[in-house]
Amino acid sequence: MTLVAGVDSSTQSCKVVVRDAASGALVRSGRAPHPDGTEVDPAAWRYALANALDDAGGLEDVAAVAVAAQQHGMVCLDEHGAVVRRALLWNDTRSAAAATALIDELGGPGAWAAAVGSVPVASFTVTKLRWLAEHEPEAAARTAAVCLPHDWLTWCLGGAPGIETLVTDRSDASGTGYWSPTDDEYRPDLLERALGHVPLVPAVLAPSERAGTTPDGVVLGPGAGDNAGAALGLGAGPGDVVVSIGTSGVVTAVSPAPVADPSGTVAGFADATGRHLPLVATLNAARVLDAAAALLRVDLDELSRLALSVPAGAEGLVVVPYLEGERTPNRPDATGAVHGLRLATSTPAHLARAAVEGMLCALADGLDAIVRLGVPLERVLLVGGGAASEAVRRLAPAVLGVPVDVPAPGEYVADGAARQAAWVLGGEADPPAWKVGGTVRFEAASTPHVRARYAEVRDLVAARPGAPGAPGG
C-alpha cells in the first residue's frame, strides 16, 4: 500500500490525514491546536504541524504530502528567509481602509475585477501589504518575499532552502489580489502599488506539479488554499456548490470559466484542478451558533432543539449576525443586531431560531450572487462544523431554496491535500477517483418570507445613522 498525507493548517488547528493513495481509505490521522488571534507568529503553525504529524504517526512510510491552509494570510520574509513580523490572518480587518484606498486608486471595483477577478477587501493579502507599508514602513522595507501560510509550510517541509524556492498553486495565488486567474500571471504593478516595491513571490505551479521533496525524500505537492482543498476532497465538479460553515461561512462553486464580479460580492478564485472557484465568504458562521448557545446558556444540541421548536421566521425576530464585522457585504466595522423583539418573541427558542436563520440567510445571499453570474447549480453540498447541527441541516434547504447533500463529517480540506499528493505521485491527467461516502440529502419547502424579512432588517441596519457606509457613518 502506498500512503500519502494531507495537511489542513486552518485558523484554529492543524489536521493531518494519512490515506491509501489508490483508494483514499483513511489509515491514520492527527491534529494539534493553533493559537487564537488574527495575528500569529508563523512558527506556531510549524510547531503545530510537527505535533500533528507526530500524532498521525509521522511521514516515515509516506510517499507524498501536500499542504492546504487558510487563505490570504500575509507572511513576510527578509532576504535570508526570516519572518519579518507576525502574520496577519484573513480575518484581521485592520486593512479595511487600505482596501478602500487601493480600490479608488485603480479606478474602482470594476478595474480590480478586470485585473484579478476580485475586488479586494480587508481579507486579501494585497490590502495587508498596503497596511504594512503605511503603518510599519521599516518592516515593509525589510520584506524581500511575500507568501501565504500554505506556501510557507510547504517551504518549511522542503527544508527552507532559500526564498527563491518558494512555490504556491493557482488557488491560493488567486486570493492575494495580485495574481490573475484569467491570465495565470502575477500583477507586479499591483504589488508595487501596495507595498512600495516588488518583493519576490512564489512560483505558481500546475495543479499536479511536484514542489520538490522533504529532506527525507517525501514528494511535496503544490498545496492549495483551504476552500480549493475542500472542493478537491469532496470530489466537487462543475455544477457543484459547496456551502461550508466553519470559522467563516463560505459558498464556492466549481466553474469551468473564470468570473469577474465588479460588485465585489463574488471573488473570482481558481480551484486546485485547473478550473475556477467563484467564492463568497462571510466572517460569521459557526461561531454565530456558539455565541447564541453561550448567550442562552445551552449546548449546541439544545440550541438546535430550541430553534426547531418555533415556526419559520421566528415570528418576525431577526438576527443579523455581523458579530465580528463582515466581509460580505463589506462592513468590517459592523456589529450584530437583533430586530423584532416583542413579548411573544422574547424567548430562548425564538432567538435560537433567528440566529440559525440569520447565519443561513447570509450564506443564501452568497449563493444567489454566484448563480447570478451564470455559474451552473446542480447540487449543494453542506459541510463544516456547523453542518453537524440538526437545525442547520433541516433549515438550510428551506432558507437556501434547494435540497442540500450533507456528507459524513470529515476533514475534507486535509483530504483534498492528500488527494492532490496522490495525484502528484501518480502523474495521471486527473486526480484519483476517491469516493465520498455517507452523504444524506435534506429537503424542505422553501421559506422566501424568511429571506425577505432578513433582507429588510439587513438593509435597515446598513442604513441607520452612524452605520458603516451610511450617510455620516
Side-chain angles (χ1 to χ4, degrees):
M1 181 189 299
T2 300
L3 299 181
V4 293
V7 176
D8 171 17
S9 182
S10 72
T11 310
Q12 296 175 318
S13 62
C14 182
K15 284 85 68 176
V16 174
V17 298
V18 177
R19 292 187 173 272
D20 173 32
S23 68
L26 181 65
V27 176
R28 57 185 191 262
S29 63
R31 65 186 300 136
H34 282 161
D36 292 331
T38 64
E39 183 177 356
V40 174
D41 184 344
W45 300 332
R46 185 170 56 188
Y47 179 76
L49 174 58
N51 287 339
L53 285 171
D54 286 345
D55 193 39
L59 296 176
E60 288 77 9
D61 56 349
V62 170
V65 60
V67 178
Q70 54 181 302
Q71 289 187 262
H72 309 305
M74 180 189 74
V75 182
C76 295
L77 306 177
D78 68 15
E79 59 182 330
H80 304 295
V83 173
V84 170
R85 69 157 344 268
R86 291 160 64 90
L88 298 185
L89 306 191
W90 64 273
N91 55 352
D92 190 301
T93 60
R94 73 184 71 180
S95 59
T100 300
L102 286 168
I103 291 169
D104 291 343
E105 289 171 17
L106 199 64
W112 279 93
V116 293
S118 304
V119 180
V121 293
S123 301
F124 283 33
T125 319
V126 69
T127 71
K128 300 179 189 304
L129 292 175
R130 168 59 71 86
W131 179 91
L132 186 70
E134 292 179 341
H135 294 270
E136 299 179 4
E138 292 184 3
R142 288 178 52 215
T143 298
V146 177
C147 59
L148 302 171
H150 115 249
D151 313 338
W152 188 78
L153 285 170
T154 301
W155 183 68
C156 290
L157 282 172
I163 59 174
E164 70 281 354
T165 65
L166 285 163
V167 297
T168 190
D169 84 307
R170 295 175 66 254
S171 70
D172 232 1
S174 65
T176 60
Y178 44 81
W179 186 84
S180 167
T182 301
D183 300 328
D184 282 334
E185 62 182 20
Y186 282 110
R187 288 288 303 265
D189 58 316
L190 300 181
L191 259 175
E192 184 170 15
R193 180 180 293 275
L195 190 60
H197 66 275
V198 181
L200 185 147
V201 286
V204 181
L205 302 184
S208 61
E209 186 175 351
R210 293 191 177 202
T213 65
T214 70
D216 295 325
V218 180
V219 172
L220 293 170
D226 51 1
N227 297 299
L232 184 59
L234 288 163
D240 287 337
V241 174
V242 180
V243 177
S244 176
I245 304 176
T247 303
S248 60
V250 180
V251 182
T252 53
V254 178
S255 173
V259 302
D261 179 12
S263 77
T265 301
V266 181
F269 294 162
D271 81 343
T273 70
R275 298 185 180 95
H276 297 268
L277 199 72
L279 179 149
V280 176
T282 68
L283 289 181
N284 301 279
R287 285 185 291 186
V288 174
L289 307 180
D290 294 337
L295 185 65
L296 297 175
R297 297 183 180 180
V298 298
D299 61 20
L300 290 173
D301 287 341
E302 179 63 8
L303 182 80
S304 183
R305 188 196 68 77
L306 288 169
L308 293 171
S309 70
V310 297
E315 298 184 273
L317 188 67
V318 175
V319 169
V320 179
Y322 301 162
L323 305 185
E324 294 189 308
E326 190 46 77
R327 165 174 168 170
T328 306
N330 186 26
R331 300 177 188 168
D333 299 319
T335 58
V338 179
H339 192 274
L341 272 174
R342 296 180 291 109
L343 286 176
T345 59
S346 300
T347 74
H350 285 83
L351 183 60
R353 180 85 181 210
V356 175
E357 289 181 336
M359 181 196 69
L360 289 171
C361 282
L363 293 169
D365 287 347
L367 180 62
D368 288 350
I370 286 176
V371 171
R372 280 197 298 269
L373 293 178
V375 177
L377 169 59
E378 297 176 7
R379 181 176 64 149
V380 172
L381 296 161
L382 186 67
V383 299
S389 163
E390 182 70 15
V392 169
R393 294 195 297 264
R394 289 176 56 183
L395 299 185
V399 174
L400 298 177
V402 292
V404 299
D405 290 344
V406 182
E411 299 294 348
Y412 289 108
V413 176
D415 291 345
R419 191 176 179 213
Q420 183 194 72
W423 189 12
V424 170
L425 199 63
E428 303 295 331
D430 297 307
W434 292 356
K435 292 183 178 179
V436 176
T439 299
V440 178
R441 171 158 288 196
F442 289 81
E443 300 181 79
S446 180
T447 54
H449 69 286
V450 173
R451 294 283 310 280
R453 172 69 175 142
Y454 174 83
E456 175 189 349
V457 176
R458 177 199 63 208
D459 296 340
L460 177 66
V461 170
R464 76 184 190 274

